[in-house]
Each structure stands twice: as structure tokens, then as C-alpha cells.
């Protein structure tokens, strides 16, 4: 657990404000992970368990789902960053 980026973020905080920012980032990462797991699991994993192994189709689907999820997240982040830059320039 001590090798996680979230742990490093929280452990490196030296002031109360830095700790609060680190906690907010940790919750954000946790929320992204939970949303990713829920959406891709619901979409790709068959709930009728006939086999203890993951079916190859489920693996392909989950790989694609994760890739699309992160691509969408990166695109959204890019749009937000561009919007924030425009707002800063207009002030």
C-alpha cells in the first residue's frame, strides 16, 4: 500500500491545506476507479457464472471499455483545461 501514488500524495502533505488537497485528489481517483469498474463490469461481464474463468470475449470487452473510459476522461480533461485557459485569458 505504501507504494501507491495516493499514499505518496497524502504522505507528502506538510500543511493542513496540502492534506485537504491530497485527500480530495485521493477521493477523485477512488471515484474514477469505482465508476470505471462499475461501468465496465456491468457492460462486459456476464452475470451467469458457468465457468470460473473469464471468457475471452469478456476480456476483450473489458480491455476496450477501460481504454474508452480513459480516452473519454482524457478528452474531457483537455476540454476543461482549454476552457480554464480561455477564462484566465479573458480576465
Amino acid at each position: 500500500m505504501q507504494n501507491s501514488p495516493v499514499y505518496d500524495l497524502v504522505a507528502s502533505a506538510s500543511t493542513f491545506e496540502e492534506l485537504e488537497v491530497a485527500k480530495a485528489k485521493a477521493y477523485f481517483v477512488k471515484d474514477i476507479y469505482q465508476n470505471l469498474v462499475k461501468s465496465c463490469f456491468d457492460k462486459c461481464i456476464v452475470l451467469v457464472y458457468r465457468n470460473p474463468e473469464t471468457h475471452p470475449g469478456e476480456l476483450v470487452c473489458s480491455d476496450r471499455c477501460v481504454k474508452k473510459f480513459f480516452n473519454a476522461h482524457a478528452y474531457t480533461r483537455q476540454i476543461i483545461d482549454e476552457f480554464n485557459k480561455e477564462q484566465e485569458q479573458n480576465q
Side-chain angles (χ1 to χ4, degrees), residues 66-79:
V66 169
K67 183 177 180 178
K68 287 179 183 180
F69 188 92
F70 280 112
N71 286 344
H73 180 72
Y75 180 72
T76 303
R77 185 74 226 158
Q78 178 185 355
I79 297 298

Side-chain angles (χ1 to χ4, degrees), residues 45-59:
I45 306 299
V46 178
L47 293 180
V48 178
Y49 299 107
R50 297 184 191 126
N51 188 340
E53 303 285 323
T54 305
H55 187 274
E58 294 172 329
L59 293 173

